[in-house]
Amino acid sequence: MTFAHLNSAAGHAHLATLLPQAPQETGIETEESFLFLDLPPLWLVGLVLLPAAVLFAWWCYGGLNRLEPRTRVILATLRGLAIAICLFLLFQPALERVRYTEVQQQVHVLIDDSASMRRKDTYPDESDRDALQDAAGVPDVGGVTRADLVEKVLEAPDGLLAKLREDFDVRLFRFVRKPLPISSLSELQSRGSRTPLGDALELHLPAAGSVNLDSLILVSDGRNNDGVPPIEVARKYRLEDTTIYTVGIGDPNPPKNIRLIGPPGPEEGLRNEELVFECTLDAEGLEGRTVTVTMSASLDGGPYLPTGDPVRVTLGEDHAPIKARLYARFPEAGDHTLRFEVDRLPEETSFEDNRVTRFLRIEDETIRVLYIENVPRWEYRYIKNALKRVDESIETQAYLCDATKSFAQEHSPSLAPLDAIPRTREELFRYQVILIGDVPPERLAPTEEQLSEWLDLLVEFVEFGGGVGFIWGEQAMPERYRNTAIEDLLPVVLMSPTELRDNPVDFEQEFMPKLEDPVNPHPILLLKRDPVNNRQLWDRGFQGLYAYYPVQKAKAGATVLLRHPDRGNRYGGYVVAATGFYPRGNTFFMATDESWRWRNPYGEKWHDRYWRNVVRHLASGRLSRRDDRFDLRLDRATVETGAQVEVTLLAQDEELQPILTDQFPVYLRRADREPERRTLRPVPAEPGTFRGRFTMDDPGSFSFLVFADDNPAADILAREDLLVKIPDREMADSSQDRQTLIDIAEAGGDGGRYVFLSDAAQLAEELGGRRAPETEVDRSTRALWDSFWSLAALLVVLGAEWILRKRARLV
């Protein structure tokens, strides 16, 4: 076997690891041919050897004049013939037999398997829609995903794949990045978080080196959003003499679409509480159009009913996010499924992303607040009154440390007055929120040991999901709590005593705190529904403040709410209000004790709402818990399709002892579907802790639930919600990038072209009729010179010459 044959075999062996099937043979044929194994150059034979043989033969007999001319000619001819036979045998004549087979050329079909293949396009262009419906055999393409359309069109009886298989060995591949072989289009998953067309072509390039690969067909929407540029890679296929054809999926016309991005929360609420839901509209090609965003709700699986007031918004430039805030109250407790929708415009390319679903739990309970102060300063008087009247879902018990024993501590009508600060775990954990004002440490506990125990209990309260807020005071808070658990809970970093001395506060200078994020303020600061009016209220609607406590900066992960407009340090303006997360509960710090000034000129309206928002935010950690014995946690609240989520459950029995079992069931619920059972496994060395990881393939809103007695019809003991979304990069551009597909086809070799999905079968007509290449099976040689007949022929000629010489008396 020659070196070229060895090279060819090595190439086939390499491709065998890439391709799923063996080449298809069409039959074996045999050809025989005559050849010389040791033939000199033809010029040497024609110009030297043959003339020399003729001259030698004539020289041998041409000078014998005594012979008749006829005899001399015959003898010379016989001598020349003998010499020719000798030369013929010296050239080693042979018969070569070659057996070969015709192997079908391969056509590779690469199909986009990213999450964008889940889209359902409407195809506003009537001709495109009708052509696709005819090719796919469906009455309405608007209800069919791109992946299903590809399967129906390409695998139709008279479709592209059926026609190609008549002449070619067709191989199918699905790709997100690396092309993977599949046996049919039903294996498409449509889960990829990106579409790196260039990477897919690059990784498939070794197949182009196969002598059997005729062409490659790329089926995609052309939206390359990651990896190397596909056109550069396509040029490499031209060097391999492989033609690239592209088949476009999705609407090829300029994109016109509205994508509704659902609100991140809230996930829980109280009965009759006003909740805010902020949706985002991402539109393209529809600038200036006005649409309506609506909300409907279904209680415990019942019918969807309109909820709240619709919101009208005007769309802006392409992909310029537009916020739509919807407000609603829910008079009935239970599990609500919320459906947010935006108008469907006739020219939109897809209606699938005009609706989103979320889960909401409405609790029939109240928020119990413990408010501790030392003396009845102005801040205490107005905050205490605000919490007693602002919301029927808030119940308050206040405790003034400096009050006499005969003083009846302030409280809501539904609660009894306190006679001491709650000190046990049972007493403290009855509350969802604790506010601590300017209270000296010795007022919280008479001894250092008792103070440390109480502060440790406060940390445990927050870790359990409770919320705690700290309000600055000149006497103690937070200055006298340095190096204590309270400093750890604060969402801000305190200045050192030296820094405080170097940055004295001028209590005579009035200032108005400024919003950290005026466009998208934190829910605590959202006093008016309209963000513009809300910003105006904070900018110039309130009386200014004078007193504040300068801190160094907000802690990592904390959210700054308000800053000083003029005074600050290298980290920005001094933080006036901030909130943080620690680790299941929320914390809050107010660096001024003059929020009561915000009563001027509006009275209690905005002041009360501000503190109501603070309490509601701090209580969110405890409201999300159903049963204190079960703590269900997700490592992420939002994941992309195809990603995994880690679920952890801390479970205790009725005696608050860790539950010890080899598994624990949780349920995964999706809107309009029955809960599906999942299993968590115990974590080694952590009694009562169970964990599991689950892959989330489908987009939508999900809830992980723990039911009493492992019964989906029983009470819910714990719940955590999860949002699974198609990656933004896959949804941002809704239409087909036709030009990119055209450029790839043109760069990939002569003859390549682009077709729309409905015209895919035309490619089979272009590729059909090509003859399959011939592949050699084996080759054998049979020598003719080394045989009896060769020697016999030479002896016959020589014998004839000898007899004639004998008769001519030359012997």
Side-chain angles (χ1 to χ4, degrees), residues 575-588:
V575 177
V576 176
T579 183
F581 196 64
Y582 185 97
R584 294 284 292 172
N586 295 301
T587 63
F588 172 79

Side-chain angles (χ1 to χ4, degrees), residues 11 14-16 18-19 106-108 110 171 173 179 200-216 237 240 242:
H14 171 73
L15 286 174
L18 176 67
L19 306 179
Q106 296 175 7
V107 173
H108 293 182
L110 274 61
R171 311 293 178 88
F173 299 82
L201 293 172
E202 184 85 57
L203 292 171
H204 199 71
L205 189 58
S210 167
V211 297
N212 297 323
L213 182 60
D214 179 90
S215 55
L216 181 144
Y237 280 79
E240 299 290 345
T242 299

